[in-house]
């Protein structure tokens, strides 16, 4: 019988990070079990480490906010609708910023000790403003996070042109989140996985979990097509599919569901961006190989991973509006990924009351790449029964239940 201290279900950014941190910081016997499914979120990510941008709602793809239909109404004495950026609570800011701060050291650690490179780039994230409406929106964002003013720069049109010469001359300025950088998301998952393998983690790739094994209130392993794998602790990092595993482990449902995001990728281009960009239409990131990644829609359509012409056109128009030079490029490919959404857009982490031998590491929605590092650290702390680096109460699955799970 194959017996492990920890089995991690799911080999995306979060699951692979858990495998790496557990294998780095403990002597436990660990298995990582994964099967690739259409819509894997890690491979649909831009790779943005947008700790502030995501926390205030600017990294989510097409940005929705209340439109001011008459900008002159203020002069006429009419009430102006309040523009409220979709800002996440303080607990998420702490979660995201602590994870973001781990990446420079993690980058050097993985390169030097494991010879893997996830292409960490210090880019910042600029929100481009086209008009007074965008300016009011930016104002609301900055006024809502006074404790992070030292991480934000205001750029007027001239400064923006100097820093991003290919941005449309119609732009009136930008706000720049100077600590929000980027990685290559494919390389990050591969780096975590390879480093974990080098540390002794056993990889069960292309292996589907058929059933969670329980004895009373304790999870004791999983059943796969190749046989049973037993464990003391099962970590659920299965992304948009996490509820299926949770239900088998606990007998209940948790609200993790797929949120589709469509992506457009250009052919390789010379360097036309010095940082990542977000607008009221899309986000844009130039990757280390020269390709331009444009994202993304936000759609609740179940596990559908098809592309639709309307969304691809919408994203492409938004990108060309911001960077007119993209009119000269070709689309290389389009795809869709499934983010693991939750009703409050916060991840679900930690223990489940009344269930032993099981931990959640799921529901990261659009921030799995960014927050994979802190999640790996937190899961390691839970497994080894150490105090956690942050309070996990706001992230417990119990918040969704009237009674303890």
């Amino acid at each position: 019988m194959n017996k492990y201290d920890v089995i991690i279900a799911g080999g995306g950014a979060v699951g692979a990070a858990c495998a790496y941190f557990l294998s780095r910081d403990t002597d436990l016997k660990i298995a990582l079990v994964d099967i690739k499914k259409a819509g894997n979120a890690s491979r649909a990510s831009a790779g943005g480490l947008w700790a502030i941008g995501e926390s205030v709602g600017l990294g989510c793809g097409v940005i929705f906010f209340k439109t001011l239909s008459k900008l002159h109404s203020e002069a006429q004495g009419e009430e102006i609708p309040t523009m409220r950026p979709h800002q996440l609570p303080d607990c998420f800011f702490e979660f995201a910023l602590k994870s973001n701060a781990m990446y420079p050291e993690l980058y050097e650690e993985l390169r030097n000790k494991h010879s893997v490179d996830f292409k960490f780039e210090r880019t910042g994230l600029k929100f481009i403003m086209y008009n007074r409406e965008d300016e009011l929106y930016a104002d609301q964002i900055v006024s809502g996070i006074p404790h992070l003013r030292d991480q934000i720069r205001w750029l007027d049109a001239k400064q923006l042109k100097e820093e991003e010469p290919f941005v449309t001359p119609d732009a009136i300025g930008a706000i720049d989140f100077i600590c929000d950088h980027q990685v290559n998301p494919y390389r990050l998952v591969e780096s975590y996985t390879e480093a974990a393998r080098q540390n002794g983690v056993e990889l069960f790739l292309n292996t589907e979990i058929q059933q969670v094994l329980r004895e009373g209130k304790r999870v004791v392993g999983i059943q796969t097509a190749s046989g049973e794998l037993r464990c003391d602790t099962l970590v659920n990092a299965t992304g948009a599919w996490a509820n299926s595993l949770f239900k088998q482990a606990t007998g209940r449902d948790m609200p993790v569901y797929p949120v589709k995001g469509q992506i457009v990728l250009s052919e390789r281009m010379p360097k036309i961006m010095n940082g990542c960009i977000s607008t009221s239409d899309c986000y844009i990131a130039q990757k280390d190989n020269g390709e331009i990644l444009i994202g993304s829609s936000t759609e609740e359509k179940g596990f559908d991973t098809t592309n639709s012409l309307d969304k691809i056109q919408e994203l492409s128009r938004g990108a060309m509006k911001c960077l007119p030079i993209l009119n000269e490029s070709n689309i290389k490919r389009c795809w869709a990924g499934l983010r693991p959404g939750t009703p409050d857009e916060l991840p679900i982490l930690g223990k489940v009351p009344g269930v032993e031998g099981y931990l959640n590491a799921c529901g990261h929605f659009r921030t799995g790449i960014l927050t994979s590092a802190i999640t790996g650290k937190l899961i390691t702390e839970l497994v080894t029964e150490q105090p956690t680096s942050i309070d996990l109460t706001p992230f417990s699955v119990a918040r969704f239940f009237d009674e303890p799970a």
Side-chain angles (χ1 to χ4, degrees):
M1 182 185 300
N2 290 320
K3 173 68 189 299
Y4 299 88
D5 296 301
V6 182
I7 292 176
I8 299 158
V14 171
C18 291
Y20 173 66
F21 280 93
L22 276 163
S23 64
R24 185 193 72 176
D25 297 339
T26 74
D27 294 322
L28 298 174
K29 185 179 181 183
I30 303 160
L32 178 66
V33 182
D34 183 58
I35 186 165
K36 296 303 179 190
K37 296 183 178 181
N40 177 278
S42 296
R43 294 190 172 273
S45 169
L49 302 179
W50 301 335
I52 300 179
E54 294 286 7
S55 298
V56 300
L58 287 179
C60 60
V62 179
I63 300 158
F64 299 99
F65 57 86
K66 195 166 186 178
T67 302
L68 297 177
S69 58
K70 295 181 180 179
L71 294 177
H72 65 275
S73 60
E74 183 176 15
Q76 297 175 346
E78 298 176 12
E79 184 179 351
I80 299 290
T82 301
M83 301 181 72
R84 299 190 182 278
H86 184 66
Q87 186 166 307
L88 293 173
D90 289 346
C91 63
F92 185 82
F93 274 88
E94 179 187 16
F95 180 65
L97 287 165
K98 281 195 172 183
S99 193
N100 194 39
M102 295 172 66
Y103 274 92
E105 183 177 340
L106 180 63
Y107 176 60
E108 295 301 329
E109 177 182 309
L110 289 172
R111 289 178 69 203
N112 295 332
K113 294 184 178 179
H114 299 282
S115 300
V116 289
D117 183 352
F118 58 76
K119 303 295 182 181
F120 174 70
E121 295 181 83
R122 296 182 182 273
T123 58
L125 173 68
K126 298 180 181 73
F127 172 61
I128 306 299
M129 298 178 290
Y130 297 125
N131 50 41
R132 175 61 176 160
E133 189 173 339
D134 288 343
E135 200 169 39
L136 288 171
Y137 183 53
D139 239 351
Q140 287 267 337
I141 290 172
V142 175
S143 64
I145 47 174
H147 58 297
L148 297 173
R149 292 285 178 88
D150 62 333
Q151 298 293 333
I152 299 171
R153 295 188 306 144
W154 284 91
L155 305 177
D156 60 24
K158 181 181 178 183
Q159 291 170 312
L160 176 60
K161 186 68 176 176
E162 290 172 352
E163 296 192 18
E164 298 290 350
F166 291 97
V167 166
T168 175
D170 295 335
I172 63 173
I175 51 173
D176 183 16
F177 302 108
I178 60 178
C179 71
D180 287 12
H181 305 306
Q182 71 168 330
V183 299
N184 182 308
Y186 311 120
R187 293 284 190 91
L188 180 67
V189 177
E190 291 167 359
S191 295
Y192 281 141
T193 304
E194 172 58 16
R197 186 196 66 79
Q198 291 178 24
N199 288 344
V201 173
E202 293 187 43
L203 305 180
F204 292 83
L205 306 181
N206 301 312
T207 302
E208 187 164 17
I209 297 174
Q210 298 176 332
Q211 185 65 43
V212 174
L213 305 177
R214 292 180 52 174
E215 292 179 1
K217 293 184 177 180
R218 171 170 285 279
V219 171
V220 296
I222 57 173
Q223 177 70 47
T224 75
S226 303
E228 289 186 4
L229 301 177
R230 291 270 173 161
C231 64
D232 294 324
T233 303
L234 175 65
V235 178
N236 183 356
T238 53
W241 297 266
N243 182 50
S244 176
L245 204 72
F246 179 83
K247 190 169 186 176
Q248 293 181 41
T250 69
R252 303 185 68 167
D253 286 298
M254 69 175 172
V256 175
Y257 48 86
V259 181
K260 182 166 80 167
Q262 298 191 46
I263 305 289
V264 178
L265 188 73
S266 82
E267 62 189 357
R268 295 186 181 189
M269 299 186 69
K271 188 173 179 62
I272 63 169
M273 300 173 64
N274 292 314
C276 297
I277 284 174
S278 179
T279 77
S280 55
D281 302 306
C282 62
Y283 63 70
I284 313 167
Q286 185 163 27
K287 307 312 290 183
D288 60 291
N289 64 357
E291 295 171 344
I292 310 292
L293 190 147
I294 304 157
S296 70
S297 63
T298 302
E299 308 165 68
E300 293 184 21
K301 293 193 173 182
F303 288 93
D304 171 51
T305 57
T306 59
N307 284 114
S308 59
L309 182 60
D310 62 332
K311 295 300 182 186
I312 298 306
Q313 288 177 328
E314 182 180 344
L315 292 167
S316 299
R317 282 194 293 265
M320 289 186 291
K321 175 183 175 182
C322 182
L323 295 167
I325 193 173
L326 290 177
N327 282 280
E328 302 172 14
S329 72
N330 295 308
I331 292 176
K332 181 177 181 179
R333 69 185 180 103
C334 307
W335 70 95
L338 301 174
R339 310 178 187 95
T342 64
D344 56 10
E345 298 187 15
L346 298 180
I348 301 176
L349 305 172
K351 298 179 180 180
V352 178
V355 179
E356 299 176 7
Y358 173 90
L359 294 172
N360 281 315
C362 50
H364 291 70
F365 190 29
R366 59 182 183 260
T367 64
I369 295 293
L370 165 64
T371 58
S372 62
I374 190 67
T375 301
K377 181 179 181 181
L378 290 165
I379 293 298
T380 300
E381 290 167 347
L382 287 169
V383 168
T384 56
E385 299 183 341
Q386 301 175 60
T388 54
S389 300
I390 63 173
D391 179 14
L392 292 183
T393 304
F395 306 109
S396 170
V397 71
R399 71 188 188 269
F400 297 115
F401 301 128
D402 294 331
E403 301 293 334

